[in-house]
Amino acid sequence: GAVVSQHPSRVICKSGTSVKIECRSLDFQATTMFWYRQFPKKSLMLMATSNEGSKATYEQGVEKDKFLINHASLTLSTLTVTSAHPEDSSFYICSASPPRIQYNEQFFGPGTRLTVL
Amino acid sequence: GENVEQHPSTLSVQEGDSAVIKCTYSDSASNYFPWYKQELGKRPQLIIDIRSNVGEKKDQRIAVTLNKTAKHFSLHITETQPEDSAVYFCAAPNSGNTPLVFGKGTRLSVIA
């Protein structure tokens, strides 16, 4: 199957700082990647769709100025949580689909656990 | 957009018994229905999926059934084992090639 990596796996930061999370497709090119957020004991909630070479599409209620997404290459999308606050503490997971996949099968990264103190 | 409902939210079964988790979806155009297993602190792992052109798919102890008319699909786990304990999510795509919409999850506990 396709491999998606994320870095870092875990990050702890102080309130008010910014944190960048990287999502890479290791063995395929991904024109589209997706960013999800998962709070404890909750489901995965789509935050935004990251499009290579163009602006990301954000879901309703997700602040695009707070969660900056950059998809500068076909194998890398980054999510930057700006001016992080404790309520941003969550598990952030990206996913992508290889071009050869006909249906919507998605491959998830290992996730990044963000803790904002 | 797609709306996915999942039941039950928690399920406890004795080891060896079967477990069934059900999901309904709203978009009749949806054509792909995966099930994911997520262990604590880890990424969701695809365990089985079904396309809209079949009604049932089986992989060893795991099976998925799909009823397109009623717009629901179910996960069946037979001969459950303690290592099956996890949170299971169903999902369905929004229209077109857009990301998955997940159900709220079912926490399965298999009691030895």
Side-chain angles (χ1 to χ4, degrees), chain A residues 35-39 43-45 47 67 88 90-92:
Chain A
W35 286 97
Y36 293 85
R37 179 168 54 183
Q38 186 177 33
F39 291 108
S43 187
L44 289 88
M45 297 299 295
M47 299 177 65
F67 299 99
D88 297 323
S90 188
F91 193 48
Y92 292 86

Side-chain angles (χ1 to χ4, degrees), chain A residues 38-55:
Chain A
Q38 186 177 33
F39 291 108
K41 298 186 178 182
K42 298 294 184 182
S43 187
L44 289 88
M45 297 299 295
L46 180 68
M47 299 177 65
T49 300
S50 174
N51 304 298
E52 188 269 335
S54 65
K55 292 182 178 180

Side-chain angles (χ1 to χ4, degrees), chain A residues 4 34 36 38 41-44 46 49 91 93 103-106 108-111 113, chain B residues 31-32 36 38 41-44 46 51 89 93 96-100 102-104 107:
Chain A
V4 177
F34 306 106
Y36 293 85
Q38 186 177 33
K41 298 186 178 182
K42 298 294 184 182
S43 187
L44 289 88
L46 180 68
T49 300
F91 193 48
I93 310 177
Y103 291 90
N104 300 64
E105 182 176 359
Q106 295 190 17
F108 286 88
R113 184 160 303 283
Chain B
N31 58 4
Y32 172 69
Y36 288 88
Q38 188 180 29
K42 297 188 176 180
R43 80 184 88 189
L46 179 70
R51 321 292 185 191
F89 293 97
N97 187 28
T98 52
L100 297 170
F102 286 84
K104 292 188 184 300
R107 183 171 300 277

